[in-house]
Short mmCIF file of all heavy atoms in Angstrom, two decimals:
data_model
loop_
_atom_site.label_atom_id
_atom_site.label_comp_id
_atom_site.label_asym_id
_atom_site.label_seq_id
_atom_site.Cartn_x
_atom_site.Cartn_y
_atom_site.Cartn_z
N ASP B 127 1.86 25.10 6.73
CA ASP B 127 3.11 24.44 7.13
C ASP B 127 3.54 23.37 6.15
O ASP B 127 4.74 23.11 5.98
CB ASP B 127 2.93 23.79 8.51
CG ASP B 127 2.75 24.81 9.61
OD1 ASP B 127 3.03 25.99 9.33
OD2 ASP B 127 2.33 24.45 10.72
N TRP B 128 2.54 22.73 5.49
CA TRP B 128 2.90 21.60 4.64
C TRP B 128 3.83 22.02 3.52
O TRP B 128 4.67 21.23 3.08
CB TRP B 128 1.64 20.95 4.07
CG TRP B 128 0.89 21.80 3.13
CD1 TRP B 128 -0.10 22.70 3.41
CD2 TRP B 128 1.08 21.88 1.71
NE1 TRP B 128 -0.54 23.31 2.28
CE2 TRP B 128 0.15 22.82 1.22
CE3 TRP B 128 1.93 21.25 0.81
CZ2 TRP B 128 0.06 23.13 -0.13
CZ3 TRP B 128 1.82 21.56 -0.53
CH2 TRP B 128 0.90 22.49 -0.99
N LYS B 129 3.73 23.27 3.10
CA LYS B 129 4.62 23.71 2.00
C LYS B 129 6.08 23.69 2.47
O LYS B 129 6.96 23.21 1.75
CB LYS B 129 4.24 25.13 1.57
CG LYS B 129 2.85 25.21 0.99
CD LYS B 129 2.48 26.65 0.68
CE LYS B 129 0.98 26.73 0.41
NZ LYS B 129 0.51 28.11 0.34
N THR B 130 6.30 24.20 3.69
CA THR B 130 7.66 24.16 4.23
C THR B 130 8.15 22.72 4.36
O THR B 130 9.29 22.40 4.00
CB THR B 130 7.69 24.82 5.62
OG1 THR B 130 6.98 26.05 5.57
CG2 THR B 130 9.11 25.05 6.08
N VAL B 131 7.25 21.86 4.84
CA VAL B 131 7.66 20.47 5.08
C VAL B 131 8.03 19.81 3.76
O VAL B 131 9.09 19.19 3.63
CB VAL B 131 6.52 19.71 5.78
CG1 VAL B 131 6.84 18.24 5.84
CG2 VAL B 131 6.31 20.26 7.17
N VAL B 132 7.14 19.95 2.76
CA VAL B 132 7.40 19.30 1.47
C VAL B 132 8.65 19.87 0.83
O VAL B 132 9.50 19.14 0.30
CB VAL B 132 6.18 19.46 0.54
CG1 VAL B 132 6.51 19.01 -0.85
CG2 VAL B 132 5.02 18.65 1.08
N GLY B 133 8.81 21.22 0.91
CA GLY B 133 10.01 21.83 0.37
C GLY B 133 11.25 21.30 1.04
O GLY B 133 12.26 20.99 0.39
N GLY B 134 11.19 21.18 2.36
CA GLY B 134 12.34 20.65 3.09
C GLY B 134 12.66 19.22 2.69
O GLY B 134 13.82 18.84 2.54
N ILE B 135 11.59 18.42 2.50
CA ILE B 135 11.80 17.03 2.09
C ILE B 135 12.54 16.98 0.76
O ILE B 135 13.54 16.27 0.60
CB ILE B 135 10.46 16.30 1.97
CG1 ILE B 135 9.85 16.06 3.35
CG2 ILE B 135 10.62 14.98 1.25
CD1 ILE B 135 8.46 15.50 3.32
N PHE B 136 12.05 17.76 -0.23
CA PHE B 136 12.69 17.73 -1.55
C PHE B 136 14.13 18.21 -1.47
O PHE B 136 15.03 17.64 -2.11
CB PHE B 136 11.92 18.62 -2.52
CG PHE B 136 10.62 18.03 -2.96
CD1 PHE B 136 9.53 18.83 -3.25
CD2 PHE B 136 10.46 16.65 -3.08
CE1 PHE B 136 8.34 18.30 -3.65
CE2 PHE B 136 9.27 16.11 -3.49
CZ PHE B 136 8.20 16.94 -3.77
N PHE B 137 14.34 19.28 -0.65
CA PHE B 137 15.70 19.81 -0.56
C PHE B 137 16.65 18.75 -0.03
O PHE B 137 17.74 18.51 -0.59
CB PHE B 137 15.71 21.03 0.36
CG PHE B 137 17.09 21.54 0.65
CD1 PHE B 137 17.77 22.28 -0.30
CD2 PHE B 137 17.72 21.25 1.84
CE1 PHE B 137 19.04 22.74 -0.05
CE2 PHE B 137 18.99 21.71 2.10
CZ PHE B 137 19.66 22.47 1.15
N PHE B 138 16.23 18.08 1.06
CA PHE B 138 17.15 17.10 1.65
C PHE B 138 17.29 15.86 0.78
O PHE B 138 18.35 15.23 0.76
CB PHE B 138 16.70 16.74 3.07
CG PHE B 138 17.13 17.77 4.07
CD1 PHE B 138 16.22 18.64 4.63
CD2 PHE B 138 18.46 17.88 4.42
CE1 PHE B 138 16.63 19.61 5.52
CE2 PHE B 138 18.89 18.83 5.32
CZ PHE B 138 17.97 19.71 5.86
N LEU B 139 16.23 15.52 0.03
CA LEU B 139 16.38 14.42 -0.92
C LEU B 139 17.43 14.76 -1.96
O LEU B 139 18.29 13.94 -2.30
CB LEU B 139 15.04 14.15 -1.62
CG LEU B 139 14.06 13.26 -0.86
CD1 LEU B 139 12.76 13.16 -1.63
CD2 LEU B 139 14.63 11.89 -0.63
N GLY B 140 17.37 16.00 -2.48
CA GLY B 140 18.36 16.41 -3.46
C GLY B 140 19.76 16.40 -2.89
O GLY B 140 20.71 15.92 -3.52
N LEU B 141 19.89 16.93 -1.68
CA LEU B 141 21.22 16.97 -1.04
C LEU B 141 21.77 15.56 -0.87
O LEU B 141 22.94 15.28 -1.17
CB LEU B 141 21.08 17.64 0.33
CG LEU B 141 22.35 18.11 1.00
CD1 LEU B 141 22.94 19.24 0.19
CD2 LEU B 141 22.07 18.57 2.41
N THR B 142 20.87 14.64 -0.41
CA THR B 142 21.30 13.25 -0.24
C THR B 142 21.70 12.64 -1.57
O THR B 142 22.67 11.88 -1.65
CB THR B 142 20.15 12.44 0.37
OG1 THR B 142 19.65 13.13 1.50
CG2 THR B 142 20.62 11.08 0.78
N GLY B 143 20.97 13.00 -2.64
CA GLY B 143 21.33 12.48 -3.96
C GLY B 143 22.73 12.91 -4.35
O GLY B 143 23.53 12.11 -4.86
N LEU B 144 23.05 14.18 -4.09
CA LEU B 144 24.41 14.65 -4.41
C LEU B 144 25.46 13.89 -3.61
O LEU B 144 26.49 13.45 -4.14
CB LEU B 144 24.52 16.14 -4.10
CG LEU B 144 23.85 17.08 -5.09
CD1 LEU B 144 23.92 18.50 -4.59
CD2 LEU B 144 24.49 16.98 -6.45
N LEU B 145 25.17 13.69 -2.33
CA LEU B 145 26.12 12.97 -1.48
C LEU B 145 26.33 11.55 -1.99
O LEU B 145 27.46 11.05 -2.06
CB LEU B 145 25.61 12.93 -0.04
CG LEU B 145 25.78 14.21 0.77
CD1 LEU B 145 25.10 14.07 2.11
CD2 LEU B 145 27.25 14.52 0.96
N VAL B 146 25.21 10.88 -2.35
CA VAL B 146 25.30 9.49 -2.81
C VAL B 146 26.11 9.44 -4.10
O VAL B 146 26.95 8.55 -4.30
CB VAL B 146 23.89 8.91 -3.01
CG1 VAL B 146 23.95 7.60 -3.76
CG2 VAL B 146 23.23 8.71 -1.67
N PHE B 147 25.87 10.40 -5.00
CA PHE B 147 26.61 10.43 -6.26
C PHE B 147 28.09 10.61 -6.02
O PHE B 147 28.93 9.92 -6.61
CB PHE B 147 26.05 11.56 -7.14
CG PHE B 147 26.77 11.70 -8.43
CD1 PHE B 147 26.60 10.79 -9.44
CD2 PHE B 147 27.66 12.75 -8.65
CE1 PHE B 147 27.27 10.90 -10.64
CE2 PHE B 147 28.33 12.89 -9.84
CZ PHE B 147 28.14 11.95 -10.84
N TRP B 148 28.45 11.54 -5.11
CA TRP B 148 29.86 11.77 -4.78
C TRP B 148 30.47 10.50 -4.22
O TRP B 148 31.60 10.11 -4.58
CB TRP B 148 29.98 12.91 -3.76
CG TRP B 148 31.38 13.14 -3.31
CD1 TRP B 148 32.31 13.93 -3.89
CD2 TRP B 148 32.01 12.53 -2.19
NE1 TRP B 148 33.49 13.86 -3.20
CE2 TRP B 148 33.33 13.01 -2.15
CE3 TRP B 148 31.59 11.62 -1.21
CZ2 TRP B 148 34.24 12.62 -1.17
CZ3 TRP B 148 32.50 11.23 -0.23
CH2 TRP B 148 33.81 11.74 -0.23
N GLN B 149 29.69 9.82 -3.34
CA GLN B 149 30.20 8.59 -2.72
C GLN B 149 30.47 7.52 -3.76
O GLN B 149 31.50 6.85 -3.74
CB GLN B 149 29.16 8.09 -1.71
CG GLN B 149 29.62 6.89 -0.93
CD GLN B 149 28.51 6.36 -0.04
OE1 GLN B 149 28.54 6.51 1.16
NE2 GLN B 149 27.53 5.74 -0.65
N ARG B 150 29.53 7.38 -4.70
CA ARG B 150 29.69 6.36 -5.75
C ARG B 150 30.95 6.65 -6.57
O ARG B 150 31.69 5.76 -6.97
CB ARG B 150 28.44 6.37 -6.63
CG ARG B 150 28.53 5.52 -7.87
CD ARG B 150 28.56 4.05 -7.54
NE ARG B 150 28.80 3.24 -8.71
CZ ARG B 150 29.98 3.03 -9.27
NH1 ARG B 150 31.05 3.61 -8.77
NH2 ARG B 150 30.10 2.26 -10.33
N LYS B 151 31.23 7.94 -6.81
CA LYS B 151 32.33 8.29 -7.69
C LYS B 151 33.68 8.22 -6.96
O LYS B 151 34.67 7.77 -7.51
CB LYS B 151 32.10 9.70 -8.24
CG LYS B 151 32.96 10.03 -9.42
CD LYS B 151 32.30 11.10 -10.30
CE LYS B 151 33.04 11.29 -11.61
NZ LYS B 151 34.49 11.24 -11.50
N PHE B 152 33.73 8.66 -5.69
CA PHE B 152 35.02 8.86 -5.04
C PHE B 152 35.32 7.90 -3.91
O PHE B 152 36.43 7.87 -3.42
CB PHE B 152 35.10 10.30 -4.51
CG PHE B 152 35.14 11.32 -5.58
CD1 PHE B 152 34.04 12.13 -5.82
CD2 PHE B 152 36.25 11.46 -6.39
CE1 PHE B 152 34.07 13.07 -6.83
CE2 PHE B 152 36.28 12.40 -7.40
CZ PHE B 152 35.19 13.21 -7.63
#
Side-chain angles (χ1 to χ4, degrees):
Chain B
D127 293 346
W128 66 271
K129 296 176 193 170
T130 313
V131 172
V132 170
I135 289 173
F136 287 148
F137 173 77
F138 279 107
L139 277 176
L141 196 66
T142 310
L144 284 175
L145 283 174
V146 168
F147 178 73
W148 176 88
Q149 184 185 253
R150 172 68 187 79
K151 195 154 189 321
F152 293 109

